[in-house]
């Protein structure tokens, strides 16, 4: 049996984090929550301790320097980064990918889309919608 995908969640809203935690925990034994952080600073500290496979970040809330931590999470801790965004601003999405994020998922997508994106980026694939790749 393969080891579960260890996911760390980063965002400001505890209720939203709890919902994501439950969604991902339903995928046991394939996925598990390694840690949850309510700030980018805490995310880096926890990533150093728990070494997550995938970090899901809500960059719109709770992550004051998200552009700076993406390369750190990727290079220093070997994590794949998946951004969970509500904005449709193409330049912001592109900047996340250019800084090392492996994917971008819209918040209004179906929950199954996020789960599939986690699996795909964990396997080394990029998860981008057509507007981002265009």
């Amino acid at each position: 049996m393969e080891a579960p995908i260890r996911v760390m969640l980063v965002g400001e809203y505890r209720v939203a984090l709890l919902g994501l935690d439950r969604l991902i925990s339903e995928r046991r034994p394939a996925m598990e929550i390694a840690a949850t952080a309510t700030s980018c600073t805490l995310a880096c500290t926890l990533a150093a301790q728990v070494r997550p496979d995938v970090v899901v970040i809500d960059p719109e809330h709770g992550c004051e320097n998200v552009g700076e931590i993406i390369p750190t999470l990727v290079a220093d801790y070997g994590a794949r980064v998946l951004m969970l965004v509500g904005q449709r601003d193409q330049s912001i999405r592109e900047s996340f990918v250019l800084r090392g994020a492996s994917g971008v998922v819209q918040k209004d997508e179906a929950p199954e889309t996020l789960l599939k994106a986690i699996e795909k980026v964990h396997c080394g694939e990029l998860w981008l919608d057509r507007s981002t790749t265009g």
Side-chain angles (χ1 to χ4, degrees):
M1 185 167 159
E2 290 185 34
I5 301 170
R6 297 173 39 78
V7 180
M8 183 168 75
L9 304 172
V10 182
E12 178 181 27
Y13 296 120
R14 294 178 194 276
V15 172
L17 292 172
L18 177 62
L20 290 171
D21 183 306
R22 287 188 178 167
L23 175 69
I24 292 166
S25 294
E26 287 177 0
R27 293 301 289 260
R28 282 188 182 141
M31 293 181 194
E32 68 182 18
I33 297 298
T36 301
T38 53
S39 72
C40 284
T41 303
L42 181 57
C44 285
T45 301
L46 290 173
Q49 295 171 2
V50 302
R51 301 290 180 158
D53 299 313
V54 177
V55 179
V56 177
I57 301 175
D58 178 350
E60 295 155 13
H61 304 288
C63 234
E64 59 287 343
N65 56 346
V66 69
E68 296 171 21
I69 72 157
I70 294 171
T72 301
L73 292 169
V74 173
D76 295 354
Y77 309 120
R80 307 245 197 254
V81 176
L82 187 61
M83 307 305 290
L84 185 60
V85 301
Q87 300 175 351
R88 299 232 181 239
D89 184 339
Q90 194 60 33
S91 63
I92 292 173
R93 298 160 73 122
E94 290 170 2
S95 72
F96 293 146
V97 174
L98 291 173
R99 290 190 170 268
S102 295
V104 179
V105 176
Q106 278 293 134
K107 288 181 182 178
D108 60 0
E109 292 283 347
E112 294 78 26
T113 302
L114 176 61
L115 295 171
K116 186 168 185 144
I118 290 170
E119 291 171 350
K120 294 295 184 179
V121 300
H122 177 256
C123 291
E125 297 181 33
L126 289 176
W127 186 272
L128 303 171
D129 61 15
R130 289 180 190 248
S131 64
T132 304
T133 58

